[in-house]
Amino acid sequence: MEIRKVGVLGCGLMGAGIAQVSATAGFPTVVLEQEQRFLEKGFAGIEKSLAKFAEKGTLKEPIEAIRGRLKGTLKKEDLADCDIVIEAIIENLDQKKKMYAALDAVVKKDAIFASNTSSISITELMTATRRPERFIGLHFFNPVPLMKLVEVVRTIATRDDVFNAAVEFAKKLGKVPVRTSDKTGFIVNRLLVPYLLDAIRAYEEGVGSIPDIDNAMKLGCGYPMGPFTLLDFVGLDTTYYITQVMFEEFKERRFASPPLLKRLVLAGWYGRKSGKGFYDYADPNNPVPAL
């Protein structure tokens, strides 16, 4: 099977990024949102991102050509003839299932449904549709236009040709796909989340300060970001939600949220997006420890 037209659900940070790389790769792309203001905000972000790539001379064609392949819509019917529909809405099981159920009767039967979820079971999501054999996970990483990796996730019901088509699609987007199965956290979060949580526990136990732990991992292990900088970048609320899903699945301490993470989230300290997390971003160019 060949993927020619792409649908994206959601025009937030991840959805807009997926739409951008899809259109840049030559695919006509339709982005569905609930309100026009969300489309406008997402498309403004795409314009800004494309302008940066144009300045660097890395685009193979004019911005206008890429923009011409992008369409925003508030109507589900506009996704009817898409060959693949990639969901990137709020990380909420019920909301995702409702969206898939509504689209299942609208989008053509041989189209692939994919979710960008980082933690929710792909198998559980597919139960909202009548196409379990054509349902996969496509987990992109933030920022989508820059990050090369895509985790391609199959369930026990996914057909081989569907899985292979998704892998080839990721390659056409200029990404490096890795194949994985529907185990909570997939590859990256299964390994990354315990590391981030252990960094918080190390700080709680007085092993080192926030900057010292960050610098130790950057300079000692060659990581581009220390764990606390990365946590603030990802979002402490997002990480906390992932820990709840993973702990529910495995019941292992390494996936359990440390008390400090829970309290920061309760206080509304989500990281960069809220202006304060483990660091204070009053001066974004010079963040200082907030604790």
Side-chain angles (χ1 to χ4, degrees), residues 91 96 114-125 135-141 149-155 178-194 242 245-246 249-250 254-255:
E91 196 75 343
K96 290 178 186 291
S115 176
N116 182 59
T117 182
S118 60
S119 57
I120 295 175
S121 166
I122 304 300
T123 304
E124 190 162 4
L125 292 174
F135 205 107
I136 59 164
L138 273 182
H139 181 210
F140 293 80
F141 290 77
L149 182 66
V150 175
E151 291 180 309
V152 186
V153 188
R154 75 181 303 164
T155 74
V178 294
R179 299 167 185 254
T180 186
S181 59
D182 186 26
K183 305 291 191 303
T184 299
F186 314 135
I187 296 173
V188 173
N189 278 338
R190 178 157 186 154
L191 300 177
L192 176 63
V193 169
I242 292 172
V245 175
M246 297 185 78
E249 177 81 7
F250 299 114
R254 63 190 175 124
F255 298 116

Side-chain angles (χ1 to χ4, degrees), residues 17 31 63 100 111 115 127 130 149 152 174 176 189 219 222 252 286 291:
V31 187
I63 291 177
Y100 285 125
S115 176
T127 62
R130 292 170 291 178
L149 182 66
V152 186
V176 177
N189 278 338
L219 303 178
E252 295 179 17
N286 186 34
L291 300 172

Side-chain angles (χ1 to χ4, degrees), residues 271-287:
R272 280 189 172 271
K273 60 186 174 185
S274 68
K276 186 179 288 187
F278 285 101
Y279 289 93
D280 188 322
Y281 298 92
D283 179 358
N285 296 318
N286 186 34

Side-chain angles (χ1 to χ4, degrees), residues 20-94:
Q20 178 181 325
V21 298
S22 174
T24 301
F27 294 96
T29 304
V30 182
V31 187
L32 177 69
E33 257 295 358
Q34 293 181 328
E35 297 181 31
Q36 184 64 31
R37 62 190 176 100
F38 296 140
L39 282 175
E40 291 172 358
K41 182 179 180 180
F43 273 63
I46 292 174
E47 289 281 350
K48 185 177 180 180
S49 178
L50 288 174
K52 290 181 179 179
F53 280 105
E55 287 177 11
K56 296 177 181 178
T58 56
L59 293 181
K60 297 180 180 179
E61 57 185 343
I63 291 177
E64 293 73 21
I66 299 172
R67 190 190 302 118
R69 289 191 287 271
L70 280 167
K71 176 185 177 181
T73 185
L74 304 179
K75 299 178 180 179
K76 295 179 178 68
E77 292 75 17
D78 289 338
L79 277 68
D81 61 343
C82 290
D83 300 298
I84 187 169
V85 176
I86 306 168
E87 170 268 313
I89 66 171
I90 185 172
E91 196 75 343
N92 177 282
L93 175 63
D94 291 337

Side-chain angles (χ1 to χ4, degrees), residues 219-289:
L219 303 178
C221 296
Y223 291 0
M225 291 183 187
F228 296 106
T229 302
L230 181 56
L231 280 159
D232 278 357
F233 181 78
V234 171
L236 304 191
D237 54 333
T238 300
T239 304
Y240 180 61
Y241 176 79
I242 292 172
T243 67
Q244 292 179 300
V245 175
M246 297 185 78
F247 184 75
E248 176 65 25
E249 177 81 7
F250 299 114
K251 296 295 192 296
E252 295 179 17
R253 180 179 184 270
R254 63 190 175 124
F255 298 116
S257 172
L260 179 58
L261 176 60
K262 179 180 180 179
R263 281 157 178 75
L264 291 174
V265 172
L266 289 173
W269 293 20
Y270 300 151
R272 280 189 172 271
K273 60 186 174 185
S274 68
K276 186 179 288 187
F278 285 101
Y279 289 93
D280 188 322
Y281 298 92
D283 179 358
N285 296 318
N286 186 34
V288 296

